[in-house]
Amino acid sequence: MWHDVKALNATASGMVALSVLACAAAGVWWLANRPVFDLRAIRVETMDKSEFKHVNHLTLRNGTQGRIVGNFFTANLEQVRQVFEAVPWVRRASVRREWPDQLIVSLEEHEALGTWGEDGRLLSVKGDVFTANLAEAEEDHELPEFSGPDGSEKEVLARYGELKQWFAPASLEPKAVSLSSRYAWTVKLDNGASVALGREATHDTLRQRVDRLVRIWPQIAARVPNIETIDMRYQNGLALSAAGLKIPADTKKH
């Protein structure tokens, strides 16, 4: 090789090229880290241009302070996005650079529908479970209670919407919807009664059971005050309990 002039020239040219690239990279890195490119502002806006209800300057500052590093060029936008999505009430964030010295952060805020489980978490209108100040959510409206196995949040949310429609003809409204680990449904109504609907054997099992209860509800309500529980898991009837009243259960429920 040492006697091959062409090989030596090629090697030398390669080394020179590498040196030039290394110098150029070092120059770019040095220039990109100059104070002139420091971030001067982070502008926050809503994705749909509406007003925030719960996200505010204080929660954003407390949730992001000291966690965003780098300047206009070196800030990791994915990392910045994750920092903002960890702020309470933030559902989703997107981040972009705006020349010469700021980041634009667009946020989507959670809208709480009710509580989820027994540990103080919230369920959003889109079926997301998140953690935020429960008292703040209660300021918006009364919170229905939801629970179910992990991963069933959107199913429970969809069922809640159906149950509201099904019970509406009897002027009843679900205030709690629960799906057990065996996938049996229980609904607590706004009159305090808890209705056991059981498992969904077919696509319309629950609808049929609710319709049956709605049809006879006026007679039941007129004759039995202070109803506590109603069990609709029977082929052709129901069982109920009320304060001071107990009706023996049948054995043909499903």
Side-chain angles (χ1 to χ4, degrees):
M1 173 180 176
W2 301 111
H3 301 290
D4 189 336
V5 175
K6 290 184 178 181
L8 287 172
N9 288 337
T11 301
S13 297
M15 293 179 66
V16 170
L18 288 175
S19 298
V20 171
L21 287 174
C23 290
V28 170
W29 180 88
W30 178 87
L31 182 62
N33 283 276
R34 293 304 86 198
V36 69
F37 296 119
D38 287 348
L39 288 173
R40 308 295 179 187
I42 298 177
R43 192 172 81 225
V44 177
E45 57 188 29
T46 59
M47 288 187 176
D48 59 2
K49 307 305 178 183
S50 62
E51 295 291 328
F52 288 123
K53 289 184 178 180
H54 299 287
V55 174
N56 55 51
H57 175 75
L58 181 61
T59 58
L60 289 174
R61 186 185 66 184
N62 290 342
T64 63
Q65 193 169 33
R67 301 181 62 193
I68 298 176
V69 296
N71 62 19
F72 180 81
F73 289 111
T74 62
N76 185 319
L77 297 190
E78 175 62 17
Q79 185 179 55
V80 174
R81 180 189 67 79
Q82 293 175 4
V83 167
F84 275 91
E85 288 186 349
V87 173
W89 290 103
V90 173
R91 178 175 186 266
R92 187 163 58 97
S94 67
V95 186
R96 71 180 189 275
R97 294 181 174 89
E98 185 169 283
W99 181 261
D101 56 8
Q102 67 176 334
L103 299 180
I104 309 299
V105 181
S106 299
L107 302 180
E108 180 183 356
E109 189 177 41
H110 281 296
E111 181 180 349
L113 174 64
T115 62
W116 180 265
E118 299 179 353
D119 55 0
R121 291 182 296 168
L122 294 164
L123 180 69
S124 78
V125 296
K126 295 187 176 181
D128 299 317
V129 174
F130 66 102
T131 301
N133 190 322
L134 186 59
E136 289 184 48
E138 291 174 333
E139 292 175 356
D140 296 336
H141 55 78
E142 185 179 355
L143 300 176
E145 299 174 3
F146 303 99
S147 64
D150 290 342
S152 67
E153 297 87 358
K154 287 181 171 56
E155 182 181 359
V156 173
L157 175 63
R159 181 67 70 204
Y160 171 70
E162 294 174 337
L163 289 167
K164 287 186 69 173
Q165 296 178 359
W166 298 345
F167 278 105
S171 298
L172 296 170
E173 184 177 354
K175 289 299 180 182
V177 178
S178 174
L179 179 62
S180 74
S181 59
R182 299 182 68 246
Y183 281 80
W185 294 90
T186 302
V187 183
K188 187 172 183 180
L189 301 173
D190 56 348
N191 64 358
S194 179
V195 182
L197 294 174
R199 287 179 288 180
E200 192 170 16
T202 66
H203 75 280
D204 59 352
T205 299
L206 301 187
R207 177 63 186 268
Q208 291 176 353
R209 290 173 177 175
V210 173
D211 285 348
R212 183 154 44 88
L213 176 58
V214 167
R215 285 196 302 270
I216 62 175
W217 178 251
Q219 292 86 353
I220 294 176
R223 298 178 182 179
V224 185
N226 304 318
I227 297 175
E228 296 176 345
T229 65
I230 304 173
D231 193 339
M232 297 301 301
R233 298 171 297 172
Y234 294 82
Q235 292 181 345
N236 299 303
L238 59 85
L240 61 81
S241 67
L245 172 68
K246 299 293 180 182
I247 296 180
D250 199 321
T251 59
K252 297 180 181 180
K253 64 184 180 182
H254 300 277

